[in-house]
Amino acid sequence: MTFIRSILAATVLVSAHPANAQDGPAITDPPEAEAPKTSLVVLETTIGDITIALEMERAPITAANFLRYVEEGRFNGTVCYRAMHLEWGEPPNGLLQCGTQNDPKRILPPIAHEPTNETGLSHVNGALSMARFDPGTATGDFSIMIKDQVGLDAQPNAEDPGQRPGFAVFGRVVGGMDVVQEIHAAPVDPDKGEGWLKGQMLAKPVKIVKAYRAPPLD
């Protein structure tokens, strides 16, 4: 595409020259494709704000579900409670998990799974992904990637059937990634959590005071 645009730009310059004024109208670059539609949400935590762009067009089911939790106040008073730290790569590396913790008074019915091989999204640094058990069980818990975690993407050809659906990415952090990293760096309680979650639970979870929609960025 860059090569084609370079040719078009050169053609415009030649056509605009007085010696070529009779050669016909100048050729212009084709219009840029519009960016996929997003909606902005702010998570106001006790240590700072995190601004998120929800992928309303590319992951419509998952993004709309998250937005409903925001608009109905279901995230207000919840916490960021889990910090998974990976030992490989340059730290910080892992993910931060927040949300309703399956509170029956807060959660909505589970939503259909939107795999990354269909949405075109990926678990890159700052991406938001739904926490779940089996595909189609996600409700009101989500994770924020710290560094690329593309192993969580859908892998339709994986030998392990459990890896094939991956997890559903539905947004990305566009402001306050430093806040995400600060929460992720908070001490964990080695005795909290069960099974593989043990040692990943924050000793003092950080509260989401309020979640709300924000105006588009300039």
Side-chain angles (χ1 to χ4, degrees):
M1 182 61 74
T2 301
F3 176 69
I4 294 173
R5 286 180 178 168
S6 297
I7 294 176
L8 289 174
T11 306
V12 170
L13 290 173
V14 171
S15 300
H17 193 280
N20 298 288
Q22 303 302 318
D23 291 346
I27 300 175
T28 59
D29 282 349
E32 294 284 348
E34 291 187 7
K37 180 182 177 183
T38 60
S39 291
L40 291 183
V41 164
V42 175
L43 302 181
E44 180 186 320
T45 79
T46 51
I47 65 171
D49 293 350
I50 303 167
T51 304
I52 298 161
L54 299 179
E55 294 281 358
M56 307 304 297
E57 186 174 328
R58 292 192 283 185
I61 296 173
T62 318
N65 175 71
F66 189 89
L67 193 56
R68 183 179 172 188
Y69 275 82
V70 171
E71 293 180 330
E72 295 182 4
R74 294 176 182 270
F75 286 138
N76 299 348
T78 61
V79 294
C80 294
Y81 55 87
R82 177 189 173 207
M84 183 185 77
H85 293 265
L86 296 174
E87 296 180 357
W88 50 266
E90 182 179 352
N93 190 14
L95 60 80
L96 176 69
Q97 192 165 317
C98 314
T100 59
Q101 295 181 277
N102 209 35
D103 181 347
K105 295 180 181 179
R106 292 181 180 272
I107 61 172
L108 295 166
I111 57 173
H113 180 59
E114 291 182 303
T116 56
N117 61 313
E118 295 181 6
T119 63
L121 301 169
S122 183
H123 288 80
V124 296
N125 185 46
L128 272 79
S129 174
M130 291 304 298
R132 63 166 176 79
F133 295 104
D134 295 324
T137 63
T139 54
D141 287 84
F142 59 95
S143 300
I144 303 175
M145 303 302 110
I146 298 175
K147 297 287 195 307
D148 293 356
Q149 309 297 343
V150 296
L152 298 176
D153 289 352
Q155 302 176 50
N157 299 319
E159 292 185 9
D160 181 357
Q163 293 181 328
R164 294 171 188 169
F167 291 81
V169 174
F170 63 95
R172 65 189 186 278
V173 174
V174 295
M177 195 62 189
D178 57 331
V179 176
V180 174
Q181 293 181 353
E182 184 175 348
I183 300 172
H184 183 256
V188 296
D189 186 329
D191 297 321
K192 288 177 67 174
E194 297 180 1
W196 51 271
L197 290 176
K198 190 169 184 178
Q200 298 184 11
M201 311 302 283
L202 293 177
K204 295 182 179 180
V206 174
K207 181 179 290 187
I208 299 174
V209 179
K210 184 178 180 182
Y212 58 91
R213 294 189 70 163
L217 295 174
D218 295 332

